Amino acid sequence: MKEKEYRYASAAHNGLLFLKSVPGVAFGDRVSIRDQHGRKRNGQVILSSNELVMVQILEGTDDVNLEDIWVRFLEEPFEMPLSPDVLGRVFNGIGEPRDDRPPIVSRLRRNVNGQPLNPIARAYPREFIQTGISAIDGLNSLVRGQKLPIFSGSGLPHNKLAAQIVRQSKLLGEESRFVVVFAAMGVSYADAQFFREDFESNGVLGNVVMFTNLADDPPIERLILPRTAMTVAEYLAFDLDLHVLVVLTDMTYYAEALREVATAKGDVPTRKGYPGYLYSDLAEIYERAGRVRERHGSITMVPVVSMPSDDITHPIPDLTGYITEGQIVLSRELNNQDLYPPVNIPPSLSRLMKDGIGKDDTREDHPRVANQLYAAYAKALEVRNLASIIGPDELPDLDRKYLKFADGFEQRFLAQGMDEDRSIIQTLNIAWDLLSGLPRDVLSRVTEADLARYHHWNSGT
Amino acid sequence: MTDRGTIIEINGPLVRARLPGIASGEQVRLGEMALTGEVIGLDGDRALIQVYESTEMLRPGEGVTPLGYPLSVELGPGLLGGIFDGIQRPLKNLRDQAGDHIPRGLDVPVLDRDKLWSFTPNPELKAGQEIRGGILLGKVQETASIEHRILAPPDISGELVELAGAGDYNLRQVIARIHTPLNGIRELKLFHRWPVRIPRPYARRHEGVAPLLTGQRILDTFFPLLKGGKGAIPGPFGAGKTMLQQQIARWTNADIVIYVGCGERGNELVDILESFPQLTDPYSGRSLMERTLLVANTSNMPVVAREASIYLGVTLAEYFRDQGHDVVMLADSTSRWAEALREVAGRLGQMPVEEGYPAYLASRLASFYERAGRVKTLSGESGSVSLIGAVSPPGGDFSEPVTNHTKDIIQTFWALSKPLADARHYPSVSWIESFSDAVEAAAKWWSKEVDPNWQEKRILALNLLSAAEELARIINLVGAEALSPQQRWTVEMATLVREGLLQQNALDDVDSYCSPQKQFALLDLIIGLYQQGQELVKANVPVSALLALPLLSRTRRCKNLYGNDQLEELTALGREFQEELEKLHRKYEEQKA
Ligand SMILES: Nc1ncnc2c1ncn2[C@@H]1O[C@H](COP(=O)(O)OP(=O)(O)O)[C@@H](O)[C@H]1O
Ligand SMILES: [Mg+2]
């Protein structure tokens, strides 16, 4: 069918444009609009009937004159042109250059919504990525193809942590580096610039594709941006066989933009006003990470989600946690003690570490050590809590050992420098130093053989 | 086929069409892309259609073709070991035809039409005989461990004109001809179709009598579920719902396992697909995949097909039940199904009542779980469907509608606890919030098959845990020093119950599966220690002396050290501990004297 063009619209508000009596418009169609000032805007059809068509305008509907407008239905979905030239470039949410360089020209264009990956086409992710960060490698290991978000809060060092992960991530015994797809949604110029400079000073800028929609850019464009970014990531991983690390920051601003549009459309609100489809919408983005059988490349994803009021039960972190393969949770309390990285261990989790660690991957004792550290730290936190009530002097000897363990765990295991790149063996050795401060009898998550091999007998029981 | 209707409006997965004369529930194909949909409501000559595939680039004015039948499943040999999407398209064939991504509008046969199956007719049937629905026509050995019984479709009755002899047949061939009073001759093949939203009929319901064993101590010993029962696993993300369901799928003593991944992660299904073929069924010794069937509608696949996937799963379960099998269906997660309902209701403009859910949420949940049960089948056998649904409450809040309504419907509630999961206590099933109303029935089985003292010991263990919970409150106020020696012993022993009995690491080679006998042996060992220790404490033996004995830390490790075939060692250990304690007792008696 031919492109359709109209010179009027019947209503516009909250980023939505309404047209009456324009029959046969495709659902999801891309729309190009020129307003009375000649400025171009982009839209997408989100409801279509013969009587009424609803178009979501990415740049918003402020200052449009309904009598003096061009609306063109382009008869195509949003697509991203793809070629190896995307590396080193900066784009906006719909894949237009933001770096004063020419647009990507390619015959290969793909619908940014992608298509759902057939679950049986997936290969289970199991290759350990060493990030050099003990809290991650030792306790919440990342594997190639995993989606592991950072749950953070305002003022917490999620950017530094994400940048450190990007900088240090490598596969043991492999030289191949990651290429990076960096998607910024709603973050400040300073935050985006921080990443840019970090990439630049590491000389990797040529291996980075950036998508930016910053705090002062039109918010509705954020709804397309991660989809465009994932389309590029899929191309790099599954067409060009590269290992891709995707950083999405900040998914909270993405979800807020979604809520804004949902409210304008009159969708039934659920928790905190977010629409019921927030879960599925987020899944459409997150589930694009992974590995595919018989393909060499992979997509590993580290989304940043800031938790409004540090509340992990807020719908955005909550639904994210239901989709992603674990989460690294940052703690304001540890951050206030100047501890970096301030990872809140108990609620943090990596669901895919089980197949990526152990005998042939890291070290044979790793799974049990991780388990034991978790259990001992949980117990130690209980003791610390008790000590704050009844005073540490009242505690039995074993409990005092736990207190010491908690301090050592935070100061020596968790805490590390922003440029400190620990090997997994170093991480595990620190773990055993700390566990050796506890009597062997209470270490029921490790085996007798582990104890015989790694427990420092002298400092223990 | 010619279009009978025209699309009027597209609103996400919901389409309005002018479609006179259509029946509610009927399947349709939409537009040039031939997307699959289902009529879910009528308004004059307008039909409301929910579409199982993305409606992107569909437009008003395109045609709609009714298919003449409701959303149905194909039931016959070739299902086991398979993986299907929410509307029963085989995902392996989809990949062969269309590559790594799921295409739209592709119509692939569900069951392989050409594969030959060796059919043995039912020797008791003769031409001229009256046939009722559900009767056994013959058998096919589908996998080495599973016999597939070929049943007459439940809705048929008439006179048997002809039954095929023993031999190899494919799904296109006729294996029986029935003369029906209304429709004349009906030809039956090795498979038939059944509408997913209609429960398959059975002769009669039976009470559940035997526990559905899972090899997980906290479930089998403390909160049992019966074969034919309904259970739910609510828990916040990361609490262990999926792992627990996979553990059940691995180790259950059911004949057939149907695992429905409804709106969850793709990688979790891959995990099953990659690991199950390598694992053996502990009962038949055959590859686990031979008794397993997967339905996968992951979170990135179209939303409304999630709603269908649950019904697809339970219909498949009923079909195997009708063959006299014990079937368990696991649904991960029923919350995603409920959300799909909510999504459609919202777009239909139906009045939301709680958190956006429509008023019929509770009744839909109830009628789904009602399809569980132990029955006498139409062919006179005994079979069961057990339903176990994961629930994913937003923010881990169990008062939300789906958890809340589910709790009222089910018999066994395995509540997962975030604090337990955070401390890596798995399975994180809370012994405080969970319940089972199947204990009495299960106790009969345990006392007959395992040990007459099962009920008594498990109650002792539960009491110990709740006593310790009370004492923990005191400790948190004034410290452990305030406890009496008896109380201290209780606290220590409750810790032992938690670590030595309740905790069970799914990834541990020895402990992943625990036989009922080993479950009881561990329970017995720990309760024995507790009781004997209690006597010693009463006799003024200091608790510290008891705690100094190495036997406590040895008991903690027993579950990992002794396999299911090493029960004698466990019993011997119990005797050894008993002697050690007696020795200690004597020592203190002598000191006193
Ligand atoms: N029984 C178990 N044994 C060992 N680890 C477990 C067990 N249950 C859960 N886990 C751990 O918890 C993680 C999350 O479990 P999962 O079942 O995926 O949670 P949910 O489905 O509730 O989000 C798993 O990846 C695993 O590391
Ligand atoms: Mg899960």
Side-chain angles (χ1 to χ4, degrees):
Chain A
M1 250 183 254
K2 256 188 68 219
E3 286 179 10
K4 298 190 188 74
E5 212 172 277
Y6 297 88
R7 293 299 312 268
Y8 57 89
S10 59
H13 60 80
N14 300 77
L16 299 177
L17 188 73
F18 299 81
L19 286 90
K20 281 199 176 132
S21 307
V22 287
V25 169
F27 177 78
D29 195 8
R30 179 169 180 175
V31 184
S32 177
I33 292 127
R34 203 168 288 279
D35 64 21
Q36 67 273 23
H37 309 294
R39 276 194 305 250
K40 196 178 150 237
R41 303 189 198 204
N42 295 284
Q44 188 164 29
V45 175
I46 57 173
L47 180 136
S48 176
S49 70
N50 291 337
E51 293 81 45
L52 182 75
V53 169
M54 204 193 286
V55 183
Q56 168 180 300
I57 310 294
L58 304 188
E59 294 82 1
T61 47
D62 288 348
D63 186 30
V64 291
N65 180 349
L66 298 173
E67 309 290 313
D68 186 11
I69 189 172
W70 284 75
V71 182
R72 272 168 63 210
F73 293 94
L74 301 182
E75 296 289 318
E76 62 178 30
F78 273 96
E79 288 180 332
M80 175 74 198
L82 297 163
S83 88
D85 298 338
V86 293
L87 286 167
R89 298 293 309 271
V90 184
F91 301 100
N92 70 4
I94 56 172
E96 295 166 345
R98 285 197 87 168
D99 52 6
D100 302 324
R101 288 164 61 192
I104 299 292
V105 182
S106 171
R107 256 186 301 183
L108 180 64
R109 302 167 65 82
R110 289 209 181 114
N111 185 334
V112 298
N113 288 327
Q115 277 178 311
L117 190 60
N118 186 332
I120 68 156
R122 287 181 187 271
Y124 198 74
R126 40 179 111 239
E127 298 140 312
F128 175 79
I129 294 174
Q130 180 176 295
T131 66
I133 301 162
S134 294
I136 297 177
D137 296 352
L139 293 173
N140 300 288
S141 322
L142 178 66
V143 299
R144 204 141 76 170
Q146 181 171 12
K147 38 193 182 291
L148 187 64
I150 300 173
F151 285 4
S152 187
S154 52
L156 297 182
H158 45 263
N159 288 341
K160 294 193 180 110
L161 183 60
Q164 190 174 7
I165 294 172
V166 170
R167 243 181 359 250
Q168 297 182 174
S169 284
K170 56 179 151 302
L171 241 68
L172 292 180
E174 218 178 278
E175 265 319 292
S176 92
R177 283 302 220 159
F178 288 94
V179 298
V180 177
V181 170
F182 176 80
M185 292 156 281
V187 299
S188 67
Y189 174 80
D191 283 348
Q193 197 56 21
F194 164 82
F195 279 98
R196 205 192 145 79
E197 279 163 14
D198 203 79
F199 298 144
E200 199 161 15
S201 64
N202 286 288
V204 295
L205 210 48
N207 274 332
V208 178
V209 191
M210 294 184 85
F211 291 86
T212 58
N213 173 285
L214 302 179
D216 54 356
D217 289 326
I220 302 175
E221 194 188 291
R222 284 171 209 159
L223 299 184
I224 300 233
L225 186 141
R227 294 178 162 79
T228 313
M230 290 317 295
T231 304
V232 168
E234 285 171 348
Y235 166 74
L236 295 171
F238 306 128
D239 290 48
L240 303 188
D241 287 344
L242 297 168
H243 293 293
V244 184
L245 190 62
V246 178
V247 176
L248 304 172
T249 181
D250 180 327
M251 288 305 288
T252 297
Y253 297 120
Y254 168 84
E256 283 173 359
L258 188 77
R259 177 172 66 177
E260 201 176 312
V261 174
T263 312
K265 278 196 295 183
D267 290 333
V268 179
T270 63
R271 294 220 158 183
K272 297 223 193 301
Y274 288 90
Y277 52 79
L278 177 60
Y279 173 83
S280 303
D281 187 278
L282 290 172
E284 279 172 15
I285 299 167
Y286 295 141
E287 280 281 302
R288 290 170 81 169
R291 303 220 52 178
V292 176
R293 270 166 204 280
E294 292 126 39
R295 305 282 169 129
H296 180 260
S298 62
I299 302 178
T300 309
M301 187 193 272
V302 180
V304 172
V305 179
S306 57
M307 302 180 280
S309 331
D310 292 346
D311 176 10
I312 197 172
T313 69
H314 183 283
I316 304 168
D318 188 50
L319 296 180
T320 297
Y322 272 117
I323 302 162
T324 53
E325 285 140 347
Q327 64 279 338
I328 304 294
V329 185
L330 300 190
S331 148
R332 191 163 299 279
E333 199 186 318
L334 291 177
N335 189 57
N336 289 345
Q337 297 164 25
D338 260 340
L339 192 151
Y340 176 87
V343 178
N344 188 1
I345 291 299
S348 296
L349 170 73
S350 164
R351 294 161 189 268
L352 297 184
M353 76 188 281
K354 67 184 168 77
D355 284 293
I357 62 168
K359 192 157 163 280
D360 300 319
D361 303 298
T362 53
R363 200 169 78 183
E364 179 262 340
D365 56 325
H366 187 172
R368 295 178 299 277
V369 170
N371 236 324
Q372 184 65 68
L373 282 177
Y374 259 102
Y377 187 54
K379 170 81 186 161
L381 290 178
E382 255 174 51
V383 173
R384 191 187 267 171
N385 194 26
L386 182 60
S388 71
I389 302 167
I390 62 168
D393 300 338
E394 299 297 311
L395 293 175
D397 184 49
L398 176 61
D399 283 0
R400 279 204 296 273
K401 287 196 166 118
Y402 270 114
L403 274 188
K404 220 175 125 210
F405 171 82
D407 293 340
F409 177 79
E410 288 164 5
Q411 298 310 325
R412 293 183 53 205
F413 187 88
L414 283 190
Q416 68 183 86
M418 260 172 260
D419 288 308
E420 188 180 347
D421 190 356
R422 290 184 192 153
S423 76
I424 179 63
I425 302 300
Q426 282 174 313
T427 291
L428 291 172
N429 288 346
I430 300 174
W432 276 109
D433 283 351
L434 298 166
L435 290 174
S436 297
L438 294 170
R440 290 167 39 240
D441 274 0
V442 302
L443 302 178
S444 64
R445 306 293 182 98
V446 293
T447 62
E448 300 278 2
D450 295 332
L451 289 171
R453 180 132 189 220
Y454 298 108
H455 194 272
H456 314 338
W457 299 78
N458 44 3
S459 56
T461 19
Chain B
M1 265 189 283
T2 49
D3 295 346
R4 269 218 350 243
T6 320
I7 293 174
I8 300 170
E9 180 187 287
I10 303 132
N11 178 7
L14 204 74
V15 166
R16 257 170 235 276
R18 190 171 299 109
L19 201 56
I22 190 96
S24 188
E26 197 168 330
Q27 292 232 282
V28 296
R29 293 245 164 206
L30 299 108
E32 277 170 43
M33 290 179 285
L35 308 178
T36 310
E38 177 185 1
V39 177
I40 55 167
L42 297 172
D43 176 12
D45 67 350
R46 308 277 167 104
L48 289 164
I49 301 164
Q50 60 175 7
V51 187
Y52 295 122
E53 305 177 82
S54 162
T55 53
E56 192 177 42
M57 300 319 278
L58 192 65
R59 62 184 84 235
E62 287 196 76
V64 183
T65 312
L67 297 185
Y69 51 81
L71 180 63
S72 323
V73 268
E74 284 188 6
L75 300 165
L79 289 168
L80 293 173
I83 173 164
F84 302 94
D85 76 357
I87 50 173
Q88 213 196 6
R89 296 187 299 180
L91 289 172
K92 287 201 182 90
N93 298 12
L94 280 188
R95 181 163 186 241
D96 291 344
Q97 290 194 22
D100 295 336
H101 295 273
I102 297 180
R104 293 191 284 171
L106 199 66
D107 193 14
V108 288
V110 176
L111 295 169
D112 186 340
R113 293 291 190 270
D114 299 314
K115 183 164 178 180
L116 289 172
W117 299 95
S118 168
F119 174 72
T120 317
N122 179 355
E124 284 162 25
L125 291 184
K126 285 177 207 69
Q129 198 171 329
E130 270 310 300
I131 295 275
R132 281 172 298 102
I135 202 166
L136 181 72
L137 298 172
K139 294 174 176 177
V140 158
Q141 195 69 38
E142 178 165 356
T143 68
S145 53
I146 300 292
E147 187 179 71
H148 199 116
R149 298 176 198 160
I150 307 300
L151 307 171
D155 55 356
I156 203 168
S157 68
E159 185 186 306
L160 181 66
V161 179
E162 188 190 348
L163 180 65
D168 291 350
Y169 300 89
N170 67 26
L171 296 194
R172 295 177 206 282
Q173 288 170 303
V174 173
I175 54 131
R177 287 195 171 76
I178 315 265
H179 182 84
T180 64
L182 291 180
N183 302 314
I185 295 286
R186 266 188 67 182
E187 297 186 328
L188 303 185
K189 301 177 180 170
L190 286 173
F191 77 105
H192 65 268
R193 294 181 144 271
W194 187 262
V196 297
R197 299 190 194 277
I198 300 179
R200 285 173 65 89
Y202 47 81
R204 180 149 40 81
R205 261 181 197 268
H206 284 313
E207 293 280 288
V209 286
L212 182 87
L213 296 172
T214 66
Q216 313 302 303
R217 290 182 291 271
I218 181 80
L219 310 190
D220 296 350
T221 298
F222 292 98
F223 303 101
L225 179 74
L226 298 180
K227 284 183 175 169
K230 344 174 194 186
I233 309 177
F237 65 82
K241 299 177 293 296
T242 303
M243 281 287 258
L244 194 57
Q245 288 198 313
Q246 291 193 359
Q247 282 294 86
I248 297 172
R250 270 185 201 131
W251 303 119
T252 177
N253 61 346
D255 304 313
I256 307 280
V257 174
I258 303 202
Y259 190 101
V260 182
C262 175
E264 296 286 313
R265 301 178 184 84
N267 279 331
E268 292 173 345
L269 289 149
V270 178
D271 196 12
I272 296 180
L273 282 174
E274 289 186 4
S275 64
F276 274 34
Q278 262 112 59
L279 295 168
T280 47
D281 174 353
Y283 306 93
S284 72
R286 304 283 313 174
S287 158
L288 257 192
M289 212 54 209
E290 288 186 15
R291 68 166 202 191
T292 310
L293 199 161
L294 302 176
V295 176
N297 210 84
T298 53
S299 60
N300 57 338
M301 287 157 78
V303 175
V304 293
R306 270 179 221 164
E307 198 261 344
S309 69
I310 292 283
Y311 292 102
L312 169 61
V314 72
T315 308
L316 290 164
E318 287 171 342
Y319 173 65
F320 285 102
R321 169 204 72 191
D322 290 347
Q323 299 173 38
H325 294 302
D326 288 320
V327 188
V328 50
M329 166 173 152
L330 301 151
D332 189 12
S333 153
T334 57
S335 294
R336 307 300 164 220
W337 166 66
E339 285 164 13
L341 271 188
R342 176 171 70 183
E343 174 78 22
V344 171
R347 292 192 191 248
L348 288 175
Q350 286 166 344
M351 181 68 150
V353 293
E354 318 162 86
E355 303 209 2
Y357 286 104
Y360 49 78
L361 171 69
S363 64
R364 288 281 171 95
L365 276 168
S367 50
F368 161 66
Y369 276 108
E370 201 50 29
R371 293 175 77 167
R374 187 168 158 264
V375 303
K376 184 174 175 210
T377 66
L378 293 178
S379 62
E381 295 191 78
S382 170
S384 67
V385 171
S386 311
L387 290 181
I388 299 174
V391 188
S392 317
D397 169 10
F398 284 9
S399 69
E400 62 88 37
V402 182
T403 317
N404 203 18
H405 293 306
T406 303
K407 196 172 174 179
D408 291 340
I409 295 164
I410 46 76
Q411 296 150 344
T412 301
F413 192 68
W414 292 313
L416 303 192
S417 141
K418 181 153 172 58
L420 288 179
D422 281 356
R424 295 328 191 235
H425 172 117
Y426 297 122
S428 71
V429 176
S430 156
W431 48 92
I432 296 164
E433 283 185 89
S434 302
F435 61 79
S436 161
D437 70 6
V439 176
E440 219 173 296
K444 287 195 191 124
W445 182 91
W446 280 85
S447 105
K448 185 156 157 276
E449 304 291 330
V450 183
D451 194 286
N453 297 319
W454 178 77
Q455 175 66 316
E456 180 200 332
K457 306 252 160 154
R458 76 175 270 289
I459 290 181
L460 277 168
L462 283 170
N463 289 346
L464 183 54
L465 290 166
S466 64
E469 212 75 35
E470 283 296 312
L471 295 172
R473 267 192 274 275
I474 302 183
I475 299 176
N476 280 334
L477 284 177
V478 287
E481 302 301 306
L483 299 185
S484 72
Q486 288 284 351
Q487 291 175 323
R488 268 197 76 197
W489 182 240
T490 301
V491 170
E492 292 295 337
M493 293 311 286
T495 308
L496 187 61
V497 170
R498 287 207 299 268
E499 294 181 3
L501 195 60
L502 302 186
Q503 269 175 28
Q504 195 176 350
N505 187 344
L507 307 173
D508 187 276
D509 287 337
V510 177
D511 203 31
S512 187
Y513 167 73
C514 187
S515 71
Q517 288 73 16
K518 182 178 161 190
Q519 296 191 25
F520 183 79
L522 286 170
L523 174 68
D524 196 33
L525 179 73
I526 292 175
I527 292 300
L529 255 177
Y530 165 59
Q531 289 178 315
Q532 209 187 342
Q534 214 172 18
E535 294 305 316
L536 266 67
V537 176
K538 269 190 206 146
N540 290 325
V541 176
V543 176
S544 56
L546 282 164
L547 297 182
L549 294 175
L551 51 84
L552 290 189
S553 79
R554 282 177 70 194
T555 311
R556 224 171 264 152
R557 291 177 194 282
C558 277
K559 56 180 188 181
N560 310 103
L561 291 178
Y562 302 99
N564 294 307
D565 52 357
Q566 290 174 297
L567 297 184
E568 264 135 56
E569 280 95 323
L570 267 178
T571 325
L573 203 66
R575 277 196 301 273
E576 188 190 322
F577 288 175
Q578 203 175 346
E579 281 158 25
E580 249 179 88
L581 287 175
E582 276 161 17
K583 227 183 335 178
L584 185 74
H585 194 177
R586 275 199 301 278
K587 196 175 113 194
Y588 275 87
E589 290 293 304
E590 280 157 21
Q591 274 178 8
K592 253 196 281 180

